[in-house]
Amino acid sequence: MRHIQHYIVSFLFICTTFNCYAQKTNPIKGQIVGEDKRAIPYVSISLHNAKDSTLSNTILSDSLGHFTFANEKAGRYFVKIKNITHQETFSPHFSLTEQLGEINLGQITLLPNNTYLAEVLVQRKKQFIEQQQDKLVFNVENSMLADGNNGLELLNKIPGIAVDDNGVLSMKGKSGATLMINGKMTYLSGDQLANLLRSTSSNDINKIEVMSNPSAKQDAAGSAGIINIVLKKGIKQGWNGAISLNGGLGRGTHLGGSLNLNYRTEKLNVFGIYNQYHQNLEYFNSLTRYFYPDQHNVPESYSQQENNIRPKLRSNNFRAGIDYNIDSKQTLGLLINGGFGKYPKYEPTTNSFRNFGDNQLVWSSATITEGKERWRDMLYNVNYTIKFNEKGHELKIDLDLVDHYSKMDQQLNTNYTKADGTPLNQPSSRRGDIPSDNKVYVAKLDYILPLAQGYKLETGWKASHVRTENDLHYDTLQKDQYVPDPTTSNHFIYKETIQAGYINLSKSWHKISAQVGVRGEHTHTLGNQITLHEQFEKSYFKLFPSAFLTYTLNKKNKLQTSYSYRVQRPSFWDLNPFRVYTDPFSYSEGNAQLNPAYEHSLEFGYTLASKYILTLNYAKRTNVVNEIIGTDPTNPYITYERPENIGSFRNYGLSIIAPSQLTAWWSATHFANYYRNEYNIPQEDGLISRKGNTLTLNSQNTFKLPKDWSIELGGNYVSGLTIGLSQIKSYGQIYTGIQKNILNKRASVKLVVNDILRTNNRRYETVSSTIRLVGKSNPDSRTAILSFNYRFGGVSDSNSQRSTGSEEIKNRL
């Protein structure tokens, strides 16, 4: 508890220090409202000298219509309010003196611009892809991608992103990407992260931000970059909300629904979101293992494995919070974000062991694996924002507590058979109790200070403390009784504390904008192997610089370049050396000796005609963390998978994004990415070099039809890729959807069909000195989903998404 008290005391000190600067400086205040007295946000307000009407200053009202002119000279003034949907309005003249105090113009009412309303009302739909200085934004909310998918399926449709069923994220061929939700890390293991994405409905996702070179403001973790999923949030005045229902079929039934409620006034915003997701899935996998004794070139034997995985996902997620505007400058927020669910799996598996030379069957086995996984995930957040003026001078504070608990009850029953069909040995049985208890405490501060001559300073501090505990127990069946298996049971406690600070300095000139920053992180880790009476401890400090430069050639063309130095820390799960059996002949285990991987990343970008984006990228990573395979020393027919620091990695890439409006009714966005991965892997007998080229293509087409109908057709293709010791073959999919807006466009009905040709399969090969794996995964990817969405209540307003400080760690658990 001592470190928590330290964070709170530090916050109180910093808040007290910064509030000293929030003194009154003779401001001019007011609020812009409509005829109904509801606030009008983001209106242009100009301050003029009354004598000659010369312009003194121009600002925008905030999200609640409030505005403040600060530090103005004494004199006589008036303000002019201009908004395209309302009539131009002027305030009465007023005098500003040097005496302390304020000029409060009260509520200024704007009348509707009837001429504008009578002629045309243009609703600007955001482009599907938007290029910003430090990120690429995919606005999926209005796309058919946002219907009938879960978060895992949606991410695999985003250009340049890939995520597998084990929760491993990669961007443009580089593994090790970090996932955030609403600017917060998801402190989960790979499997837990995959379950979270499966249980997140794409209907609740607003946009996806891809940061290949994040700024120093972001955590340095995630060597391949950061992917931030921004969820929807109510942005309307008064009571409002949305209801979503969907159902369909794959190999099993898919059902889901969500309810989004929001109440918003000038002072208060209260919101609550609940969604439920049910999926009955079925996967088919096949795997051939070739065994090479004494590193011979020809295998001695091989096994053929076939398994049928039948999981049933049941998830419930909710988000509730309050934002209270203390005054026009200060906001206090509370947030609770949580979920609970279960993922039971029934998995029959067969294994046939044969001699390689004559292909004769030696023996076979049949296994029934049952896993009952369940989880509970809670996040509690308090945040505070103070805006010292309207020029961007502000301070943000976040305090987070994350509590995650998951448990897997596993049962493996196996029968063995000789080649002639008679029993071989006694049936075996193994049962596992696999819990994971994780707690994360985070304190975060971000401060923005506009400086003279257009410079802007951003600085901040973040402290996090993580404690994760796994007390795994395996029992094996011996003489009709289950007895503990001490060779595979393990009790492990891991603690990690990171203290980080950053500073960013940015400046814009006529055609050039630049930002440079550096982040310093001190990491202290302590692992306690209670079962083995062993401990390991590490402590290190690193600086992580970043830089961005943009040169605007003209209104429609610009050049960009960016650089960042980042780290991929081993996940807490990877550092835990206990074993988890997937079947009697294979298991995965962690590695307490893993070291962080570090990466230099450089990008050059060119934006043509304000829409075509061409990017060149290069990355070099050392101490690459990747899965290796091998055979168990006690049984050559049992294989293992374990993370190791395997060597160095280089990535070269070229990508292009090409949105186009082919006709008035046909719009499209196309993405192409070519990259090359090169690995240098040290071995006892030399250096292994693995290289591979990859081409990825992605296309999304929307066709607008009469009477509010629309059709979408899209697809993606990956030619194959090299990741460490593995080579993945080509795969892809085609999807389509049809939509009809009803009830005055407040509701829509959509039918989406994913992976029409059922081509989204994974074929792969993994090689080591003693074993070679050749496998194929056939997921439950062809689905037809019918969805209904209805929005009700409220008047449009604007509201920014809120993130909290804990998101940068959560996906490492």
Side-chain angles (χ1 to χ4, degrees):
M1 295 296 292
R2 187 167 60 228
H3 61 276
I4 300 176
Q5 295 173 0
H6 172 70
Y7 299 160
I8 295 174
V9 171
S10 300
F11 271 132
L12 293 175
F13 172 77
I14 294 171
C15 291
T16 303
T17 302
F18 280 117
N19 269 293
C20 292
Y21 294 99
Q23 304 296 324
K24 293 183 177 180
T25 54
N26 211 18
I28 305 166
K29 296 182 176 181
Q31 185 188 23
I32 309 301
V33 298
E35 285 186 303
D36 55 3
K37 298 303 178 185
R38 289 180 173 174
I40 303 177
Y42 305 125
V43 176
S44 175
I45 304 159
S46 55
L47 180 67
H48 298 262
N49 292 303
K51 182 178 179 180
D52 54 9
S53 298
T54 57
L55 178 66
S56 176
N57 198 357
T58 301
I59 61 174
L60 291 177
S61 64
D62 63 17
S63 60
L64 298 177
H66 294 288
F67 66 89
T68 301
F69 291 96
N71 302 319
E72 299 295 337
K73 297 179 180 179
R76 191 163 177 80
Y77 297 94
F78 69 89
V79 299
K80 180 173 73 172
I81 301 96
K82 191 174 182 179
N83 188 31
I84 190 172
T85 58
H86 293 79
Q87 298 179 28
E88 190 173 80
T89 304
F90 300 85
S91 75
H93 292 195
F94 56 87
S95 296
L96 185 65
T97 67
E98 295 181 356
Q99 298 174 351
L100 292 177
E102 68 178 29
I103 301 295
N104 194 336
L105 300 178
Q107 290 187 337
I108 301 176
T109 303
L110 301 188
L111 300 177
N113 185 347
N114 294 324
T115 302
Y116 167 81
L117 295 175
E119 289 179 354
V120 63
L121 177 60
V122 178
Q123 292 182 335
R124 179 182 178 271
K125 181 180 177 180
K126 290 183 178 180
Q127 292 183 348
F128 176 60
I129 300 177
E130 293 181 324
Q131 175 72 64
Q132 300 181 12
Q133 186 180 48
D134 59 348
K135 59 191 172 187
L136 196 61
V137 180
F138 295 88
N139 296 299
V140 300
E141 179 178 7
N142 296 317
S143 166
M144 289 188 189
L145 292 176
D147 286 277
N149 294 294
N150 59 44
L152 190 69
E153 295 165 334
L154 177 61
L155 280 180
N156 277 314
K157 291 182 179 180
I158 298 300
I161 296 178
V163 55
D164 63 21
D165 288 338
N166 296 318
V168 177
L169 284 159
S170 62
M171 291 170 51
K172 294 183 178 179
K174 297 190 298 179
S175 61
T178 294
L179 181 73
M180 300 194 301
I181 297 180
N182 281 349
K184 292 178 159 303
M185 285 293 197
T186 51
Y187 303 85
L188 304 172
S189 69
D191 289 339
Q192 294 164 351
L193 178 61
N195 285 339
L196 173 65
L197 291 172
R198 288 189 188 99
S199 62
T200 301
S201 172
S202 55
N203 290 320
D204 295 329
I205 297 176
N206 177 27
K207 59 185 177 181
I208 295 174
E209 299 173 339
V210 178
M211 293 170 271
S212 53
N213 278 338
S215 72
K217 183 176 182 179
Q218 306 292 343
D219 272 30
S223 54
I226 294 175
I227 300 167
N228 182 34
I229 296 177
V230 180
L231 302 176
K232 295 178 183 177
K233 186 177 176 183
I235 58 173
K236 296 182 178 181
Q237 292 279 8
W239 279 107
N240 60 89
I243 297 174
S244 175
L245 299 171
N246 63 78
L249 292 172
R251 293 186 178 123
T253 57
H254 294 236
L255 297 172
S258 66
L259 175 64
N260 185 336
L261 296 175
N262 193 86
Y263 178 70
R264 186 178 180 86
T265 67
E266 293 181 8
K267 281 283 188 180
L268 190 68
N269 184 45
V270 182
F271 61 92
I273 299 172
Y274 170 77
N275 70 69
Q276 191 175 57
Y277 208 62
H278 286 201
Q279 279 188 329
N280 293 338
L281 304 167
E282 189 171 13
Y283 305 141
F284 299 102
N285 296 329
S286 62
L287 177 65
T288 302
R289 301 180 177 97
Y290 295 93
F291 301 97
Y292 294 80
D294 301 323
Q295 301 183 14
H296 290 167
N297 293 327
V298 178
E300 181 182 73
S301 60
Y302 70 98
S303 71
Q304 290 178 307
Q305 178 177 298
E306 303 287 338
N307 63 335
N308 175 214
I309 309 173
R310 305 172 197 168
K312 296 181 178 180
L313 175 65
R314 305 289 185 263
S315 73
N316 300 266
N317 298 289
F318 61 90
R319 194 164 69 253
I322 299 175
D323 294 321
Y324 176 66
N325 297 311
I326 301 171
D327 53 34
S328 61
K329 293 185 176 181
Q330 301 180 83
T331 302
L332 179 66
L334 303 174
L335 174 68
I336 298 176
N337 192 35
F340 57 94
K342 55 186 179 180
Y343 193 61
K345 289 192 293 186
Y346 179 80
E347 184 176 350
T349 303
T350 60
N351 275 282
S352 300
F353 290 82
R354 298 176 181 272
N355 291 321
F356 184 80
D358 56 14
N359 202 34
Q360 290 295 312
L361 177 66
V362 180
W363 56 278
S364 62
S365 68
T367 302
I368 299 295
T369 303
E370 292 186 81
K372 297 179 180 178
E373 184 177 2
R374 54 195 182 275
W375 66 87
R376 182 196 70 246
D377 192 13
M378 295 296 298
L379 179 145
Y380 308 91
N381 167 258
V382 179
N383 67 86
Y384 169 78
T385 301
I386 179 169
K387 297 182 178 180
F388 300 105
N389 57 40
E390 298 299 325
K391 297 180 180 180
H393 185 192
E394 67 178 34
L395 171 71
K396 294 182 179 180
I397 298 172
D398 276 289
L399 294 173
D400 286 358
L401 168 63
V402 177
D403 183 7
H404 175 84
Y405 178 80
S406 64
K407 191 173 188 296
M408 166 75 85
D409 295 325
Q410 190 184 57
Q411 181 82 33
L412 293 87
N413 298 320
T414 305
N415 292 304
Y416 304 89
T417 307
K418 296 179 182 179
D420 59 7
T422 60
L424 173 67
N425 299 329
Q426 293 295 319
S428 67
S429 181
R430 175 182 293 275
R431 66 184 185 187
D433 178 11
I434 311 171
S436 178
D437 190 7
N438 312 306
K439 286 184 172 56
V440 183
Y441 308 90
V442 179
K444 183 183 178 184
L445 178 149
D446 295 294
Y447 177 64
I448 302 175
L449 177 64
L451 302 173
Q453 300 180 350
Y455 285 94
K456 184 173 73 171
L457 177 69
E458 295 178 281
T459 186
W461 163 81
K462 179 180 177 181
S464 63
H465 177 75
V466 179
R467 183 186 187 277
T468 177
E469 180 174 6
N470 302 100
D471 190 6
L472 181 149
H473 296 277
Y474 269 119
D475 300 327
T476 58
L477 189 64
Q478 304 288 337
K479 297 181 180 180
D480 297 327
Q481 288 187 343
Y482 282 98
V483 297
D485 183 1
T487 62
T488 56
S489 300
N490 202 353
H491 189 186
F492 180 69
I493 297 176
Y494 178 84
K495 297 179 182 179
E496 178 186 87
T497 301
I498 299 177
Q499 293 276 357
Y502 74 89
I503 184 169
N504 274 335
L505 183 65
S506 59
K507 163 74 173 174
S508 293
W509 293 269
H510 177 59
K511 288 190 173 184
I512 298 175
S513 63
Q515 176 182 292
V516 293
V518 64
R519 185 181 186 91
E521 295 189 349
H522 180 269
T523 304
H524 180 263
T525 63
L526 177 64
N528 186 3
Q529 268 282 0
I530 296 175
T531 303
L532 302 178
H533 306 289
E534 295 178 356
Q535 287 189 353
F536 64 88
E537 186 173 8
K538 293 182 181 180
S539 185
Y540 53 93
F541 176 79
K542 273 282 188 178
L543 291 175
F544 300 95
S546 64
F548 302 85
L549 181 65
T550 300
Y551 179 70
T552 303
L553 300 171
N554 50 50
K555 290 183 178 180
K556 293 187 176 182
N557 302 280
K558 63 181 179 181
L559 295 168
Q560 291 180 295
T561 184
S562 62
Y563 163 80
S564 68
Y565 181 54
R566 302 188 59 75
V567 62
Q568 181 186 357
R569 295 186 182 90
S571 72
F572 311 126
W573 196 267
D574 284 343
L575 288 168
N576 192 342
F578 66 71
R579 296 178 180 179
V580 176
Y581 280 84
T582 52
D583 60 63
F585 307 103
S586 60
Y587 62 84
S588 61
E589 62 181 4
N591 180 1
Q593 305 304 316
L594 286 177
N595 291 312
Y598 296 96
E599 179 173 302
H600 296 275
S601 178
L602 183 64
E603 278 196 358
F604 297 94
Y606 175 51
T607 302
L608 174 66
S610 297
K611 58 180 181 178
Y612 303 108
I613 303 171
L614 178 69
T615 304
L616 293 169
N617 64 275
Y618 168 78
K620 179 182 179 181
R621 188 182 306 175
T622 57
N623 277 347
V624 175
V625 178
N626 199 262
E627 300 291 333
I628 66 166
I629 59 172
T631 55
D632 191 282
T634 64
N635 189 331
Y637 294 111
I638 297 179
T639 62
Y640 66 80
E641 188 176 86
R642 181 175 64 234
E644 293 277 3
N645 294 109
I646 64 169
S648 62
F649 162 76
R650 293 177 187 267
N651 171 269
Y652 312 83
L654 168 66
S655 67
I656 184 169
I657 297 173
S660 57
Q661 188 70 46
L662 302 173
T663 67
W665 48 270
W666 181 5
S667 61
T669 300
H670 308 294
F671 173 83
N673 180 209
Y674 169 83
Y675 59 85
R676 178 176 177 81
N677 286 346
E678 297 181 354
Y679 290 86
N680 288 319
I681 306 171
Q683 299 288 318
E684 293 181 359
D685 54 352
L687 189 70
I688 296 178
S689 180
R690 294 183 62 85
K691 303 176 181 179
N693 301 315
T694 300
L695 174 65
T696 67
L697 302 173
N698 186 293
S699 179
Q700 183 194 30
N701 300 265
T702 301
F703 307 91
K704 293 183 178 180
L705 304 179
K707 298 182 180 180
D708 290 325
W709 285 90
S710 61
I711 294 176
E712 192 160 308
L713 178 65
N716 56 57
Y717 169 77
V718 179
S719 66
L721 63 153
T722 301
I723 301 180
L725 299 174
S726 298
Q727 182 71 39
I728 300 175
K729 308 299 182 181
S730 62
Y731 63 91
Q733 66 169 314
I734 296 174
Y735 56 88
T736 188
I738 184 168
Q739 171 181 309
K740 167 68 173 175
N741 292 324
I742 58 177
L743 302 178
N744 294 324
K745 296 186 178 181
R746 281 185 171 267
S748 63
V749 178
K750 301 180 184 180
L751 176 64
V752 176
V753 182
N754 292 303
D755 194 13
I756 299 172
L757 302 179
R758 194 172 277 171
T759 53
N760 196 26
N761 303 316
R762 299 294 189 273
R763 296 167 296 139
Y764 60 91
E765 181 179 21
T766 306
V767 179
S768 75
S769 59
T770 59
I771 189 171
R772 180 167 67 99
L773 306 182
V774 179
K776 180 180 180 180
S777 174
N778 187 349
D780 193 351
S781 56
R782 184 162 69 182
T783 58
I785 307 295
L786 181 66
S787 64
F788 172 78
N789 300 279
Y790 177 70
R791 302 171 299 279
F792 57 89
V795 176
S796 293
D797 193 4
S798 292
N799 185 49
S800 61
Q801 293 288 341
R802 188 179 75 209
S803 65
T804 71
S806 61
E807 287 296 337
E808 290 85 352
I809 305 172
K810 202 173 176 185
N811 71 322
R812 296 180 51 234
L813 287 178

